[in-house]
Amino acid sequence: MSEEQQEKHGEFEREPVPESKTRGLKAFVGMYAGEHCAGTELMIGPLFVAAGVSAFDVVFGLLIGNLLAVLSWMFLCAPIAVRARMTLYYQLEKICGRNLVTLYNLANGVMFCFLAGSMITVSATALGVWFNFPMPGLTDIYPNSVGWVLAVLGVGALITLVAAWGYDMVSKVANIAAPWMVLVFLAFGIIGMRQFIEVTGAEVNSLSSMWALCKESIFKGGDPLPGQVKFTFWHVTFFAWFANMAMHVGMSDLSVLRFAKKSWHGVASASGMYVGHFMAWIAAAILYSLQLHLDPSNTDVLPGPLAYRAAGVAGLVCVIIAGWTTANPTIYRAGLAFQAIMPKKSRFAVTIGTGMLATLAGMFPGIAMKLLGFVALYGLILMPMGAVVFTDFWIFPKLGLKQYYAEHKKISINWAAGIAWIATLVICVALVKSGKPQFQIFFVSLPGWFIASGLYIVLSKLTQKGDA
């Protein structure tokens, strides 16, 4: 694409965004609120309850963890975004080389497919209420009925076609649906709380009495449900912080925040964190906790029935749209990542193939039912490249090392970056496999970031030794 074409379409994929095309804070507040109040929230909230989390741990863990996430956007991602004003992929290409970025795109695309698949799973649970076919339980890994397979196929096919035809319609529908979905999530929480008061007979007339209800009936703590990891304050804090690690620490949102006028506009992410990852997670958790209170044997985490019990048909529509608006752009992004690997294939054909892969993944409920662990794994896989970008941009000039080494040397692979990425993942996986509580997958990304940065510096010193 020529520079004139990039200017026309406002994409600037291979050049810095000009100052005249930057945007103010308001443009990012709405975007983050809409993106993070979506289908995943309907799974994550209930899974907190399934993990045996207590009221204190979930409320204060989410408050602190989301604050850390916002600060990561503000002080790790946004400052580089507004200075370089380049997409993550173009910046990585200059640092790592074309071939290594291709491998990164493959990993990114596959993880996007699995994430989109779990959102197709979410939407399919709403169809299960309407058509009354057997749906998977909390511990199910494989599809358990023909009806389930057909529902996922139908939802997946529709989502894939829309994503393949283009992003404009997806974006327009998402922008229309986002404010409505925020209100429906709020309604979920209010209705769920009211129903809890009715079934327990609790008298709630103050914040202290509401807190007592939360501690005694909603978030009781204790042992997790079978097959789930026990969550403490630290699990909730780190999960909230790293749920979007790929975007802030992993630097994916360089592509978004390069359009921001100021680096402090990264604070706009707070709208997504505290509307979606606080209010919506807790609202969805209340609905699931109510289900367990009414029938302790019903441990199924199915957003469709949960939403229908709370808000009727409006709840089911919210579930379908929430999953749809999350899966659509995710499939679109995965298609773009794969197309970068196969540039001769049309975007339409690649996106159709991507959607088929996501739909296949959606048939296996084990991905959605283990969404907490999957989200942590997704962030872990992409995190080292974020450390590479940060180190290359801020630390290399202070150490006298060459920035954008692949571009400087005209090489297709910067082995220092590649080895740092793979070695960090190997070390982190080994720590997780050690079985020690402090090295669970929810925690290892923090030391992993420092490991990746250190390895990249040491290996770059060796690689660049003797360069002019």
Side-chain angles (χ1 to χ4, degrees):
M1 182 179 286
S2 69
E3 290 187 13
E4 183 179 341
Q5 287 175 309
Q6 292 187 69
E7 176 74 24
K8 179 181 177 181
H9 294 285
E11 294 169 349
F12 308 103
E13 292 172 342
R14 301 190 68 81
E15 65 172 336
V17 174
E19 189 69 29
S20 62
K21 298 296 181 180
T22 57
R23 303 166 189 166
L25 177 66
K26 184 179 178 181
F28 300 95
V29 171
M31 184 208 74
Y32 277 108
E35 185 175 353
H36 297 286
C37 193
T40 46
E41 280 55 75
L42 292 162
M43 290 299 303
I44 291 172
L47 289 173
F48 279 151
V49 177
V53 73
S54 71
F56 177 90
D57 292 347
V58 74
V59 171
F60 288 94
L62 289 180
L63 285 173
I64 295 172
N66 284 318
L67 175 61
L68 291 170
V70 173
L71 293 175
S72 296
W73 262 296
M74 286 182 68
F75 296 111
L76 289 180
C77 185
I80 298 177
V82 301
R83 286 168 172 81
R85 297 205 179 280
M86 292 185 286
T87 66
L88 170 67
Y89 303 105
Y90 187 42
Q91 204 152 337
L92 279 178
E93 187 177 324
K94 291 158 74 76
I95 296 170
C96 303
R98 181 71 180 173
N99 288 351
L100 189 53
V101 172
T102 297
L103 182 60
Y104 176 88
N105 280 335
L106 179 62
N108 207 11
V110 170
M111 299 306 283
F112 271 140
C113 280
F114 286 132
L115 182 61
S118 68
M119 292 307 96
I120 294 172
T121 298
V122 167
S123 292
T125 64
L127 296 183
V129 176
W130 266 316
F131 295 103
N132 197 30
F133 53 76
M135 289 190 284
L138 180 62
T139 57
D140 286 340
I141 298 175
Y142 303 103
N144 64 340
S145 69
V146 174
W148 173 256
V149 171
L150 292 176
V152 172
L153 272 175
V155 172
L158 179 61
I159 289 173
T160 299
L161 283 173
V162 174
W165 279 112
Y167 194 66
D168 285 346
M169 184 167 64
V170 176
S171 178
K172 288 176 183 176
V173 173
N175 288 336
I176 293 170
W180 177 74
M181 280 196 294
V182 169
L183 292 176
V184 174
F185 271 107
L186 181 60
F188 284 163
I190 294 171
I191 293 169
M193 184 66 75
R194 188 194 68 192
Q195 291 176 343
F196 248 117
I197 293 171
E198 291 175 356
V199 299
T200 59
E203 186 175 336
V204 176
N205 50 24
S206 65
L207 285 177
S208 61
S209 56
M210 181 178 289
W211 182 246
L213 176 64
C214 289
K215 288 196 301 182
E216 296 165 9
S217 300
I218 302 176
F219 300 106
K220 297 184 289 187
D223 294 332
L225 295 178
Q228 302 299 303
V229 175
K230 168 64 180 176
F231 260 40
T232 64
F233 167 81
W234 293 110
H235 288 81
V236 176
T237 300
F238 273 80
F239 182 83
W241 184 9
F242 291 156
N244 288 112
M245 172 174 261
M247 280 62 181
H248 48 70
V249 175
M251 299 290 177
S252 284
D253 272 2
L254 289 178
S255 302
V256 173
L257 291 172
R258 66 197 171 112
F259 287 97
K261 287 186 181 297
K262 305 289 183 182
S263 65
W264 66 266
H265 289 175
V267 75
S269 59
S271 65
M273 295 304 95
Y274 288 101
V275 171
H277 293 187
F278 185 80
M279 182 273 286
W281 282 357
I282 289 179
I286 290 172
L287 296 183
Y288 183 64
S289 187
L290 177 63
Q291 172 182 296
L292 291 177
H293 185 86
L294 295 173
D295 181 6
S297 65
N298 184 7
T299 60
D300 297 344
V301 179
L302 298 171
L306 286 173
Y308 184 70
R309 190 181 298 116
V313 174
L316 290 181
V317 174
C318 177
V319 170
I320 293 172
I321 293 178
W324 186 82
T325 54
T326 309
N328 249 312
T330 304
I331 290 173
Y332 179 82
R333 288 168 183 155
L336 290 179
F338 288 139
Q339 192 191 16
I341 302 171
M342 302 174 286
K344 293 184 179 179
K345 298 286 185 180
S346 72
R347 186 194 60 79
F348 184 89
V350 173
T351 306
I352 290 291
T354 302
M356 291 172 63
L357 179 58
T359 302
L360 179 63
M363 292 180 188
F364 294 85
I367 298 172
M369 300 305 170
K370 296 289 186 182
L371 192 59
L372 299 183
F374 172 77
V375 168
L377 176 63
Y378 177 36
L380 174 63
I381 288 175
L382 302 185
M383 168 273 297
M385 281 305 192
V388 165
V389 171
F390 179 90
T391 304
D392 195 271
F393 191 88
W394 292 115
I395 300 177
F396 272 26
K398 299 182 186 302
L399 298 178
L401 292 170
K402 179 66 69 176
Q403 293 176 286
Y404 303 135
Y405 190 68
E407 180 185 55
H408 173 68
K409 296 293 287 186
K410 296 180 172 55
I411 54 177
S412 59
I413 294 181
N414 179 350
W415 287 105
I419 294 171
W421 180 24
I422 301 302
T424 299
L425 294 181
V426 170
I427 292 169
C428 287
V429 169
L431 290 174
V432 172
K433 291 293 185 182
S434 71
K436 295 180 180 179
Q438 66 269 34
F439 292 138
Q440 290 181 19
I441 194 168
F442 306 101
F443 305 133
V444 293
S445 289
L446 181 58
W449 189 91
F450 291 98
I451 291 170
S453 299
L455 284 173
Y456 182 50
I457 291 170
V458 171
L459 293 168
S460 294
K461 279 183 174 288
L462 296 174
T463 303
Q464 298 185 24
K465 192 174 183 180
D467 282 359

